[in-house]
Amino acid sequence: MRVTVIGTGYVGTVTGACLAYLGHHVTCVDTDTAKIEKLRMGESPIYEPGLEELLRMAAERGGIDFACDCDEAVRASDVIFIAVGTPPLPSGESNLAYLEAAARAIGAAMDGARFRVVVNKSTVPVGSGNLVGTLVREGVEEAHPELAGSVQFGVASNPEFLREGSAIHDSLYPDRIVLGAEDQRTLEVLRGLYGALEEQKFPDPSFAPRPDSFVRVPVVATTLTSAEMIKYSANAFLAMKIGFANEISNICDRVGADVTEVMTGIGLDSRIGTKFLNAGIGWGGSCFGKDVSSLMHTASEYGYQARLLEASLAVNRQQRQIVIQKLQEKMFILKGSTVALLGLAFKANTDDLRDAPSLQIAEKLIQMGARVRAYDPIAMNACREQHPELRILYCNDAQSAVEHADALVLVTEWPEFGDLDLADLAGRMNRAILVDGRNFFSPAKARAAGFDYSGIGRATSRSAQTAASLGQP
Ligand SMILES: NC(=O)c1ccc[n+]([C@@H]2O[C@H](COP(=O)([O-])OP(=O)(O)OC[C@H]3O[C@@H](n4cnc5c(N)ncnc54)[C@H](O)[C@@H]3O)[C@@H](O)[C@H]2O)c1
């Protein structure tokens, strides 16, 4: 099929590359000319493992090109995806300005030559599918009033569940495909588009191998409204699950239990599951906060107070303070001290800093008079450019970041930090205090390396004793 993807961010670029890899011809459109220039040169505008390679393979298998204007591509397309940002407004509502502009531009570009499906991949509040339909129609009427009766299109919602850092794997081998539409014709076009993905009829790329026994993707066909609710409910649940682990970790810290043991113990219950139970410094990223707030806002428009969602946000807000509290417990005075941060990205394997806990931690430390040094393998340039207000000393590696520091905070769980020589790091510091914001290191190993270690919800003495009695390193 001929496909247009509007928006070449984290979702749009991956969607475009994967659809072209499945054999479709895709045009990716963005109003940001710098991004389009990069893509035309074969470079990804974002850091996502495997993406540049997939773009190259996509060009060979289906075909992919890039444009700053959607007119020509929309006219040639059967399916048009909207994958623009829907960032939060101060009220918690989603800012739909980009979505509205994209929908109008699609309408203005349409003619009566074929039936087209406009698909919302952006995360949008309930009812936005109808809004997109209206805006596309208005776009047609404004640009070509004479065509208003002859332009035929359907609107669908196809929420995205990819995780940054493993976006290609998640897009080629998703847990499910959700297709929300109000009519059979629209649904059938999308079933056709995703046929090869549903039946897994494509060769798996070497850098994203197909998981064993993965033969079919379940398709959940729903109404537009249900599809929109599925996306919000999924993110609200995941945010709540992490929030639950964080809440329990705070109780563990007080009663002398180790939250990692507790979560293993409950996660093995198949009704609960082991994923998303890692306690830490609070979730971040572009989606959870904005999606939970947006769902609360929708609920309030219907006169409903979503108390569980409110609590989820409140627990996360509080968790963001935990690094500062732990540093104060160890150091008392932060003014004049030097704190090294390992990691800045909101999670590993991405350069995304949106709502990253690191930003709040750095801001608070600087405000309290501490000096902040940081090292992140990928996100330092983005941090420098996007947050010039943060007076962070960026370092070339973990070793130089900890030089003469009074404390070290592990902020992002980059796998390469697992190879660090902890004794060497401790030896370079003024005071070897380690706050492990992701429960990434083994407490016993960190202590053996000379660190005064605190994790999140890992009551120290018990953890050390348990590890020793079980003979763990
Ligand atoms: N990032 C994720 O992990 C993720 C996962 C699932 C869903 N989502 C949702 O997907 C949507 C996109 O998220 P993202 O992270 O890719 O955003 P992003 O900010 O990385 O990318 C959005 C892109 O859209 C472009 N754009 C804006 N208006 C445009 C227009 N009128 N025409 C063409 N291009 C336009 C911007 O220039 C930008 O490049 C959001 O609604 C988000 O909530 C994101």
Side-chain angles (χ1 to χ4, degrees), residues 94-106:
S94 301
N95 178 355
L96 295 182
Y98 304 105
L99 178 94
E100 291 177 8
R104 273 183 201 282
I106 293 168

Side-chain angles (χ1 to χ4, degrees), residues 88-94 123-126 228-229 231-237 239-240 283 287-317:
L89 291 168
S91 61
E93 252 176 299
S94 301
T123 303
V124 289
V126 171
E228 290 164 350
M229 271 303 286
K231 176 62 195 173
Y232 280 111
S233 312
N235 271 357
F237 188 83
M240 204 170 63
W283 45 255
C287 292
F288 283 179
K290 101 174 155 60
D291 292 354
V292 173
S293 301
S294 181
L295 186 54
M296 276 164 50
H297 189 268
T298 300
S300 77
E301 281 181 338
Y302 287 80
Y304 182 74
Q305 188 181 357
R307 289 193 176 81
L308 211 47
L309 303 184
E310 285 174 0
S312 196
L313 287 186
V315 167
N316 200 56
R317 259 195 309 274

Side-chain angles (χ1 to χ4, degrees), residues 331-339 364-372 404-407 430-431:
M331 300 161 72
F332 298 108
I333 307 293
L334 297 181
K335 203 184 287 298
S337 68
T338 298
V339 179
K364 188 74 189 168
L365 286 172
I366 293 166
Q367 198 187 357
M368 294 180 84
R371 304 284 176 270
V372 177
H404 303 303
D406 299 293
N430 275 352
R431 279 193 283 174

Side-chain angles (χ1 to χ4, degrees), residues 331-376:
M331 300 161 72
F332 298 108
I333 307 293
L334 297 181
K335 203 184 287 298
S337 68
T338 298
V339 179
L341 305 182
L342 272 190
L344 292 166
F346 90 89
K347 65 171 181 177
N349 295 319
T350 181
D351 58 354
D352 201 342
L353 284 160
R354 288 178 285 186
D355 199 20
S358 63
L359 303 176
Q360 239 173 308
I361 294 169
E363 188 184 358
K364 188 74 189 168
L365 286 172
I366 293 166
Q367 198 187 357
M368 294 180 84
R371 304 284 176 270
V372 177
R373 301 164 72 91
Y375 168 68
D376 184 290

Side-chain angles (χ1 to χ4, degrees), residues 6-7 9-11 30-31 35 84 86 123 160 164 290 354:
I6 301 189
Y10 290 86
V11 168
D30 207 295
T31 41
K35 282 189 178 173
V84 299
T86 47
T123 303
E160 181 54 64
E164 290 173 18
K290 101 174 155 60
R354 288 178 285 186

